[in-house]
Amino acid sequence: MARNRGPSDRYVYEEPDPGPEDWVPQPHPVPPYKTPARPQTERYDPLSDLRQRSVAPTELPWPVAAKPKRSLGQRVAQSWPLWTMGALAAVMGLGVASAVALFRIPNLPNCRAIFWPTASASTRLQCAEAFAEQGTVEGYLEAIALIEALPPDHPLRGEISQRIETWADRILDLAERAFQDGQIQEAIAMARRIPNHTAAAQVVGERVNGWNQIWQEAEAIYTAAEAELENLKFQEAFTQATQLLQVRNTYWRTVKYDELTAKITASRDHLNQLGEAKRLANQRTLDALKEAIDIARKIPAESPIHGEAQKVLGEFGQILIEMAEGALERRDATATQQILSAVPSEANLVGDVTDLRVILEASQLSWQGGITGLEGAITRLQSIDSSRPRYGLAQRLMGQWRAEVEGRTQLAWAEQLAMAGTTADLRAAIAEAEQISRSNPVWNEASSQIDRWRGQVETTEDRPILDEARQFARNGDLNAAITTARRVGDGRALHSEAQDLIRGWRSDLERGEDSPTLAQAQQLATAGQFQDAIAVASRIGRGRALYDQAQGDIALWRRQIQGQQQLQQAYQLAQQGSVTSLVSAIQAAQQVPESSLQRSEALRVLNRWSLDLLRMAESEVRLNPARAIEIVSAIPPQTEAYAQAQLRLREWQAPPTIVPSSPPQPLDSL
């Protein structure tokens, strides 16, 4: 059997007989060799029939008349449709030929169905080429196995060996490609399948060792980076990751490097998210903690931050448990239930949550008040045994409620004793209630009842005393009234009322005693004897009823004395008659208080002395304008001379007016 190969085929083989020694390579296509045993069918040539039907003009059965000769231009002009059709046909033929050449499939034997012990060398070579063209390890190995079976003395043994070496090299290239793609085990397996007698097989061991060394170095770098990442040392992890760029393997330089840097970036983002969750949790509000839990839960399990996130979720759960206990102490059942529902399952606090829900139900029974509710709460808590995480809290609450049951029983008996309302019954009720422990939850309520009952007893005992004191006061004996009211001791129910009565009666007594003294002082002040008035009023001591009034009068009289002294000093200064003395006198008169009786006289002399200063300034202005300005500036406001003094001041301080001289008349106007 023979096969005609296309232009791209390197050799064309023919099989004269089954012997390998008759197979010879031909550089160009040759006619197929036909044997009697197996005749060879020639390939169909579609143009041969057309060539057979084409005949020369001399072979036609009829005569052909000679045509007159025409010029070349005439022939071309007359045949232009033919030229056009010919060009179009040439283009179409070229396209058809290209398509046929592109889609033409060479005739290959059915290599999978051949019985190889009787197959010819040409068939083996053709099928080996077909297997090798697959470009796979299996294809190359099958190709090598086919031609390897040819005898060592085959005429093409050199070419066969060269092809075997080429295909072995290609297997090694495929292994290298697999190694660069990250498939080291597959690469090693490919390399080790190379036939041992090939040159490529001699470098397999060295190549595999090199691959293993590169792979181990890359894995060591990756492991070191992951270790730094686990310790949250992002900069160190990234430094390790950059070392992968120096690894002599495409897979580690690209895929694993990108994977590691992405993991570092994601871990940094996850750490920032966890920090935001902690910041929210520090607000200690239910909504903030819920948001914090949602953020922490979104950190994936493959992240190095996942372990820290789980730890933080446990901390958030503990915070919620503490908040739930606080809400329980505040008797806020709704808030307690909401907080317990928000505890994350990752916190492993299911037992605590379950126990607190039982405690909440029991507490709600105890909050109803009464012995029945407390006993129901105690029964509910008995379901929490010693193996439960909140066993201690349950025992403490049960002890508290049992004590409260006992206290309420005692308080109920005391209230029953006090119902009669007599002093003896009230004292018995007080004695019974005082037996309740101060640490008992009922003590506050019992203490209030004790105070109320004790107040009733003290009121019953002390009311007659105050009635007697009021009777003394109505009779005008205030001292006896005060003495009687003092019998109501400190801390008793009517003590405050007694003290109010005593203060009123004492004030009446002091007013009666000190009124003559204050009246005498006021008379002296009216006569202008302010010093004597102050001395008399000072006899009224601190804390007495008229003390504040006496002190107010003394302050007024002292201002009167101060006004007299200031006015007297002003008169003495003005007597000198100089500008300086008048200015000082005016300043002294201005110090007289507004409330002083001498204030009107001080205003009168201020006006007079201000006018004197104005006259002095007007007299001085001609001789010494600066001195006149200084004098008039000393006149104080709110005096009769102040307005006129300001006019003079502006007038004297204004620059002198310059009257321009008449310009000289021109000579021609004369």
Side-chain angles (χ1 to χ4, degrees):
M1 179 178 180
R3 179 173 67 93
N4 293 330
R5 304 174 71 92
S8 61
D9 296 332
R10 297 176 58 187
Y11 298 97
V12 176
Y13 307 102
E14 66 174 335
E15 185 182 359
D17 57 52
E21 64 278 359
D22 295 327
W23 183 82
V24 180
Q26 300 294 331
H28 299 286
V30 296
Y33 180 81
K34 299 182 180 180
T35 60
R38 290 187 294 176
Q40 175 68 36
T41 303
E42 294 184 356
R43 185 183 299 273
Y44 170 72
D45 186 357
L47 299 178
S48 61
D49 187 33
L50 181 61
R51 284 195 296 268
Q52 291 175 3
R53 281 188 259 167
S54 299
V55 295
T58 56
E59 299 176 353
L60 294 175
W62 59 82
V64 179
K67 295 182 180 180
K69 293 185 177 180
R70 292 175 294 177
S71 64
L72 179 61
Q74 291 175 343
R75 291 197 301 270
V76 171
Q78 186 176 2
S79 306
W80 68 267
L82 183 61
W83 288 104
T84 303
M85 294 298 294
L88 181 60
V91 172
M92 294 178 63
L94 181 61
V96 171
S98 300
V100 170
L102 180 63
F103 294 104
R104 178 176 175 272
I105 301 176
N107 263 337
L108 290 176
N110 187 2
C111 297
R112 299 297 180 186
I114 295 175
F115 183 65
W116 292 113
T118 61
S120 66
S122 61
T123 302
R124 286 179 177 271
L125 283 171
Q126 290 180 26
C127 288
E129 287 282 355
F131 290 150
E133 286 175 359
Q134 297 175 9
T136 63
V137 174
E138 296 296 336
Y140 289 129
L141 290 174
E142 288 183 3
I144 291 172
L146 279 179
I147 63 175
E148 186 70 23
L150 295 175
D153 56 351
H154 195 278
L156 292 179
R157 171 49 64 180
E159 180 66 22
I160 292 170
S161 298
Q162 182 179 355
R163 292 196 179 195
I164 290 174
E165 293 294 338
T166 300
W167 295 336
D169 289 340
R170 290 180 182 177
I171 293 175
L172 190 58
D173 292 341
L174 290 176
E176 180 67 32
R177 187 183 305 169
F179 170 71
Q180 295 296 333
D181 290 342
Q183 303 172 4
I184 184 172
Q185 298 301 329
E186 291 80 352
I188 294 174
M190 290 179 187
R192 288 176 175 169
R193 296 181 68 183
I194 296 174
N196 295 330
H197 62 276
T198 61
Q202 307 308 314
V203 300
V204 167
E206 180 181 354
R207 185 73 63 90
V208 169
N209 291 335
W211 292 343
N212 286 327
Q213 182 178 359
I214 293 172
W215 202 268
Q216 290 171 4
E217 292 175 357
E219 285 182 335
I221 294 172
Y222 199 94
T223 303
E226 285 186 325
E228 298 290 359
L229 196 56
E230 288 293 336
N231 295 326
L232 305 183
K233 296 180 179 180
F234 299 108
Q235 186 61 41
E236 292 79 356
F238 185 75
T239 302
Q240 290 286 342
T242 56
Q243 296 183 22
L244 290 177
L245 298 175
Q246 308 302 323
V247 175
R248 292 174 298 167
N249 182 273
T250 305
Y251 173 73
W252 284 99
R253 287 198 309 270
T254 57
V255 177
K256 297 301 285 184
Y257 172 77
D258 294 341
E259 174 187 308
L260 185 56
T261 54
K263 185 183 294 186
I264 294 171
T265 302
S267 299
R268 186 185 290 112
D269 294 341
H270 295 157
L271 186 61
N272 293 335
Q273 294 170 9
L274 198 58
E276 175 65 15
K278 290 181 178 180
R279 186 190 65 79
L280 288 169
N282 288 335
Q283 299 179 14
R284 296 298 180 108
T285 63
L286 181 57
D287 291 338
L289 278 164
K290 284 182 177 180
E291 186 176 354
I293 291 170
D294 290 339
I295 292 174
R297 277 176 169 168
K298 291 179 181 178
I299 296 176
E302 61 273 12
S303 173
I305 313 299
H306 183 260
E308 182 67 19
Q310 296 302 303
K311 178 181 176 182
V312 169
L313 283 172
E315 295 174 358
F316 294 167
Q318 289 292 346
I319 294 174
L320 288 170
I321 290 295
E322 294 173 3
M323 292 174 58
E325 291 176 342
L328 194 59
E329 292 179 0
R330 296 192 305 271
R331 298 192 173 188
D332 191 342
T334 302
T336 303
Q337 188 62 41
Q338 291 175 347
I339 294 171
L340 291 176
S341 299
V343 175
S345 58
E346 296 85 350
N348 295 323
L349 296 172
V350 177
D352 296 80
V353 172
T354 303
D355 289 353
L356 285 175
R357 282 184 173 143
V358 174
I359 292 173
L360 174 61
E361 295 174 3
S363 298
Q364 288 177 304
L365 292 174
S366 69
W367 297 339
Q368 296 175 3
I371 296 175
T372 303
L374 290 169
E375 290 177 344
I378 293 170
T379 303
R380 185 70 182 90
L381 282 190
Q382 288 175 349
S383 61
I384 300 178
D385 56 29
S386 59
S387 64
R388 303 296 299 173
R390 294 291 163 173
Y391 174 74
L393 177 59
Q395 292 298 309
R396 180 173 62 82
L397 289 175
M398 283 194 292
Q400 176 182 327
W401 293 338
R402 288 191 181 102
E404 187 174 352
V405 168
E406 182 179 354
R408 289 197 176 278
T409 303
Q410 290 178 318
L411 183 58
W413 174 243
E415 289 173 345
Q416 187 175 357
L417 291 174
M419 290 179 63
T422 63
T423 302
D425 292 333
L426 291 172
R427 289 187 182 278
I430 292 171
E432 181 66 25
E434 285 181 338
Q435 295 179 11
I436 299 174
S437 173
R438 300 297 188 271
S439 61
N440 195 299
V442 186
W443 170 250
N444 291 333
E445 184 178 348
S447 178
S448 299
Q449 290 287 55
I450 289 171
D451 292 340
R452 186 171 65 84
W453 296 333
R454 184 175 285 120
Q456 293 177 4
V457 172
E458 293 172 353
T459 300
T460 302
E461 293 175 345
D462 294 341
R463 180 60 64 190
I465 296 175
L466 292 183
D467 292 341
E468 182 181 358
R470 285 191 178 94
Q471 186 60 43
F472 281 123
R474 283 194 293 269
N475 295 335
D477 191 352
L478 296 179
N479 287 322
I482 292 172
T483 302
T484 303
R486 282 177 177 170
R487 289 161 53 190
V488 179
D490 188 14
R492 295 182 66 84
L494 297 181
H495 178 73
S496 297
E497 182 179 350
Q499 292 300 309
D500 291 340
L501 292 173
I502 289 172
R503 280 192 293 271
W505 295 333
R506 184 179 290 116
S507 177
D508 293 342
L509 282 174
E510 291 174 352
R511 287 179 182 277
E513 294 171 353
D514 295 339
S515 291
T517 302
L518 186 58
Q520 180 185 359
Q522 291 171 347
Q523 290 176 0
L524 292 172
T526 302
Q529 301 176 13
F530 297 113
Q531 293 290 356
D532 295 339
I534 290 173
V536 173
S538 298
R539 297 173 188 170
I540 300 174
R542 183 185 300 274
R544 295 183 66 84
L546 295 179
Y547 175 77
D548 292 339
Q549 183 179 353
Q551 291 299 310
D553 291 344
I554 289 172
L556 176 62
W557 298 335
R558 283 175 177 162
R559 288 193 294 272
Q560 298 297 335
I561 294 173
Q562 181 184 2
Q564 288 178 351
Q565 293 173 350
Q566 291 289 341
L567 188 58
Q568 179 127 13
Q569 181 182 4
Y571 275 124
Q572 291 175 357
L573 292 171
Q575 286 179 359
Q576 300 178 16
S578 64
V579 173
T580 303
S581 62
L582 283 176
V583 171
S584 300
I586 289 173
Q587 293 174 351
Q590 287 178 323
Q591 301 299 320
V592 176
E594 295 285 344
S595 60
S596 175
L597 297 176
Q598 284 75 30
R599 181 62 181 175
S600 59
E601 184 178 355
L603 292 175
R604 182 174 57 79
V605 296
L606 279 172
N607 289 328
R608 188 180 71 188
W609 293 337
S610 298
L611 290 172
D612 291 343
L613 286 176
L614 181 60
R615 285 192 293 270
M616 290 180 180
E618 290 173 344
S619 300
E620 189 73 20
V621 71
R622 296 173 182 267
L623 300 176
N624 191 349
R627 176 62 176 165
I629 291 173
E630 182 181 356
I631 294 171
V632 80
S633 298
I635 297 174
Q638 299 178 352
T639 59
E640 295 179 358
Y642 179 75
Q644 190 173 0
Q646 293 299 308
L647 292 174
R648 292 286 185 270
L649 185 62
R650 287 194 292 272
E651 178 183 345
W652 296 341
Q653 289 178 339
T657 304
I658 300 175
V659 180
S661 59
S662 301
Q665 297 182 0
L667 295 177
D668 56 2
S669 64
L670 298 177

